[in-house]
Amino acid sequence: MGDIDPAFIQSTEHRANNHKNAVEAVEIPVIDMFGSREELISRIGKACEEWGFFQVTNHGVSSEVSSRAEAVAKKFFEQSTEEKRKVKRDEVNAMGYHDGEHTKNVRDWKEVFDYLVQNSAQVPLIESHEKQELRTITNQWPQHPHDFREALQDYAREVEKLAFKLLELISLSLGLAADKFHGCFKDQLSMVRLNHYPPCPFPDLALGVGRHKDAGALTVLGQDDVGGLQVKRKSDGEWIPVTPTPGAFIINVGDIVQVWSNDKYESVEHRVVVNRERERFSIPFFFFPSHKVMVKPVEELVNEEENPAKYREYNWGHFYAHRNRSDFKKLHVDNIQISHFRILD
């Protein structure tokens, strides 16, 4: 089967042990969104606190829209590398096709296509801390498949509605107004990613995506029936596989909600394992606020005596720009994390 490029090889302690059975028959919560509002708020709050992850059914996103997005994604990745690289992204234009992404400085066994929900957006130049100079990033759309752009824009619009609905329920579960965070998403940087994980001849050495936490507010993930997502259980640090539920979306809290909630809801590590036999497709929606947003613990949730703020505020645009640059090369230091803004006890 040949050798594997050393760039893909995970260090021993971070490899997936594919020969080991699942720790136990445990699943992240599955929440039916047809439930009463009070029950939804309670169940989502509990899931955010205990797991940082949950699945939702009866979520309102059309199965036809999802199926069409999945179909055009598969057609796109079936094209030649030469064709896909006609819309290849780089350090200047962060949207488009990419097949060399790194997580924790190890290359992921996957290829992706990224696009913005709003088609173009402004982000700060990393070097411009004082002047807040901006650059514009714009979607690159391939010529083929012919209905690619239309299908994926329809998908983004529907999933965005679900993301706002979930954000309202999470806000209410924290005792805040339902629309507390809506203003943060005017001129948002939200994006959708198409993931393709080819079969891997060395699944014991590589990962589709290495262990990581999501930097945004929420992630709404659609996936096929192959499976591969694993969540690090908060109670004991064990990796728990997430079994695909037909028609469901997997939701996870990101770093921004962790900071807003002052650590009440934690952004949890997760990863993707690969296998020898089957390719896997998934479509995450990353709910990102505007580049202007300053992220800090919500004032209503902190007080100096009992629950002081655990983070200094940071600018989301600069955070995003730093993260984006690291996608293209191996760094000598860890990427920027919210822990860099933590106020030490």
Side-chain angles (χ1 to χ4, degrees):
M1 292 194 296
D3 295 324
I4 186 172
D5 184 334
F8 290 105
I9 298 177
Q10 296 283 330
S11 59
T12 306
E13 69 271 24
H14 296 304
R15 294 175 191 170
N17 187 345
N18 290 330
H19 305 293
K20 182 180 176 184
N21 293 326
V23 178
E24 55 184 86
V26 172
E27 286 293 340
I28 65 171
V30 179
I31 298 173
D32 185 340
M33 294 194 69
F34 265 178
S36 71
R37 193 167 176 83
E38 292 72 22
E39 182 184 6
L40 272 177
I41 293 166
S42 173
R43 291 196 66 194
I44 285 176
K46 185 178 180 184
C48 289
E49 198 162 358
E50 294 182 356
W51 282 91
F53 270 81
F54 55 96
Q55 297 192 61
V56 292
T57 58
N58 290 316
H59 41 65
V61 176
S62 159
S63 59
E64 181 183 347
V65 167
S66 292
S67 296
R68 193 170 164 221
E70 292 161 9
V72 296
K74 188 170 185 180
K75 285 181 184 176
F76 173 78
F77 288 121
E78 285 173 348
Q79 297 178 112
S80 67
T81 300
E82 180 184 12
E83 189 67 27
K84 288 180 285 193
R85 285 182 174 171
K86 288 180 179 178
V87 287
K88 184 169 173 55
R89 75 187 209 206
D90 54 35
E91 290 187 56
V92 175
N93 192 346
M95 296 297 120
Y97 175 75
H98 191 44
D99 57 359
E101 192 158 75
H102 289 71
T103 302
K104 305 290 186 186
N105 286 328
V106 181
R107 189 171 169 185
D108 297 329
W109 192 271
K110 68 174 181 182
E111 55 181 345
V112 306
F113 179 89
D114 291 339
Y115 68 99
L116 294 162
V117 172
Q118 296 190 342
N119 205 52
S120 66
Q122 291 188 310
V123 296
L125 291 168
I126 295 176
E127 297 81 6
S128 64
H129 287 275
E130 298 300 323
K131 299 179 183 177
Q132 191 74 337
E133 292 180 61
L134 301 173
R135 64 186 177 93
T136 300
I137 53 177
T138 305
N139 287 338
Q140 298 188 84
W141 296 107
Q143 289 187 321
H144 307 288
H146 68 91
D147 54 346
F148 187 82
R149 177 173 182 170
E150 181 186 0
L152 293 178
Q153 287 181 322
D154 288 348
Y155 181 83
R157 280 191 289 269
E158 290 227 8
V159 178
E160 181 189 27
K161 291 175 189 173
L162 173 59
F164 271 112
K165 191 184 304 181
L166 290 164
L167 188 66
E168 288 185 357
L169 292 166
I170 288 171
S171 183
L172 289 165
S173 75
L174 289 167
L176 304 169
D179 62 354
K180 173 69 179 179
F181 303 111
H182 280 208
C184 297
F185 294 88
K186 184 180 179 183
D187 301 322
Q188 62 185 281
L189 284 170
S190 296
M191 55 167 276
V192 179
R193 166 167 291 174
L194 312 179
N195 284 319
H196 174 224
Y197 304 96
C200 177
F202 299 96
D204 53 332
L205 299 179
L207 289 171
V209 185
R211 74 199 193 285
H212 68 285
K213 300 182 178 186
D214 290 350
L218 295 175
T219 302
V220 181
L221 174 71
Q223 64 170 345
D224 63 16
D225 63 350
V226 175
L229 176 65
Q230 295 183 341
V231 174
K232 194 170 189 179
R233 186 163 55 188
K234 289 176 64 174
S235 60
D236 57 11
E238 292 284 358
W239 288 102
I240 305 299
V242 180
T243 304
T245 298
F249 283 103
I250 298 166
I251 314 300
N252 64 281
V253 165
D255 289 346
I256 289 175
V257 166
Q258 177 169 332
V259 173
W260 280 341
S261 72
N262 205 36
D263 281 354
K264 182 175 176 63
Y265 296 162
E266 183 182 346
S267 176
V268 172
E269 273 195 327
H270 49 290
R271 67 185 185 185
V272 174
V273 300
V274 285
N275 69 82
R276 286 186 176 88
E277 292 80 30
R278 297 184 65 187
E279 62 184 347
R280 175 177 181 262
F281 296 91
S282 69
I283 309 181
F285 171 100
F286 298 107
F287 203 24
F288 292 159
S290 162
H291 72 85
K292 302 173 188 175
V293 168
M294 300 300 296
V295 182
K296 64 179 181 178
V298 176
E299 290 181 6
E300 295 96 314
L301 301 180
V302 300
N303 63 68
E304 287 302 317
E305 293 183 4
E306 296 179 7
N307 189 29
K310 295 182 171 72
Y311 298 91
R312 292 179 287 111
E313 71 173 14
Y314 63 91
N315 173 256
W316 167 247
H318 273 110
F319 193 99
Y320 172 90
H322 275 279
R323 280 292 186 100
N324 179 253
R325 171 177 283 186
S326 74
D327 286 347
F328 298 93
K329 54 192 173 185
K330 185 170 181 174
L331 303 179
H332 297 295
V333 295
D334 276 347
N335 206 345
I336 191 169
Q337 308 287 341
I338 55 170
S339 58
H340 295 146
F341 302 94
R342 181 176 281 280
I343 298 170
L344 298 178
D345 296 331

